[in-house]
Amino acid sequence: FAKGNLEYDSIGGYHFAANQYDYGGLFGWGTGSNPTNTSIHWEDYPTFDDWGSHIDGGWRTLTDDEWHYVIWDRADASAKCGAATVCGVHGMVLLPDGWNGGAFNAGFDKGWSTNEYDAVSWADMEAAGAVFLSAAGFHSSCVEIEGSYWSSTPDGDPHLAYLMHFCENYVYDNDSYGRDYGLPVRLVQDCQNN
């Protein structure tokens, strides 16, 4: 996973947020070549242009199946995902396979207070491979209440695309929103096994 959510500005172009708990930008689906498109009409998002193709380093957006694998299908998946608050920001923590970085309360049964980290304790988690996805909301609504992250997978309906969604009490994927929703993006790189 990238070190932070994707951001865009007209001077520096695409870049990653400085911290994993920063919200980053909110993008309509597939706006890689048109990052400033903020249209509220789904017709203005007919095709997917991956944001990652505009950043050096082999970055890309997870597919819906890959989000599903990370959240539900990998070994001990239920023990590697949970609600959290990092440096005062609500969101979700994903742990890597083979986690040995310390105590973690998986799940969403206690809401955002399930896991709480200050800057020092989060730095330790991050160094051990933990990923934090902030509850950045959508179209600047529901900030700190919900988190939704785009996938690269279109829905069969031409105005929808798939995403991963969570709030303080649950997480799910295989859901779709209108392509005009402004959602955060967290890019990934494929691992090279030597």
Side-chain angles (χ1 to χ4, degrees), residues 3-86:
K3 69 176 186 172
N5 286 350
L6 191 63
E7 295 182 331
Y8 179 84
D9 65 61
S10 59
I11 296 170
Y14 283 113
H15 56 278
F16 299 119
N19 301 295
Q20 290 198 52
Y21 47 84
D22 294 336
Y23 297 126
L26 300 176
F27 302 96
W29 184 74
T31 54
S33 62
N34 190 8
T36 60
N37 182 2
T38 57
S39 170
I40 59 170
H41 303 288
W42 64 266
E43 298 92 346
D44 293 332
Y45 305 89
T47 59
F48 183 78
D49 181 21
D50 199 325
W51 299 274
S53 66
H54 300 275
I55 296 180
D56 290 337
W59 295 100
R60 66 181 182 81
T61 306
L62 287 170
T63 66
D64 185 53
D65 286 344
E66 289 170 326
W67 274 121
H68 188 84
Y69 174 80
V70 168
I71 303 297
W72 304 108
D73 289 345
R74 62 187 172 131
D76 299 321
S78 63
K80 297 174 186 165
C81 177
T85 300
V86 175

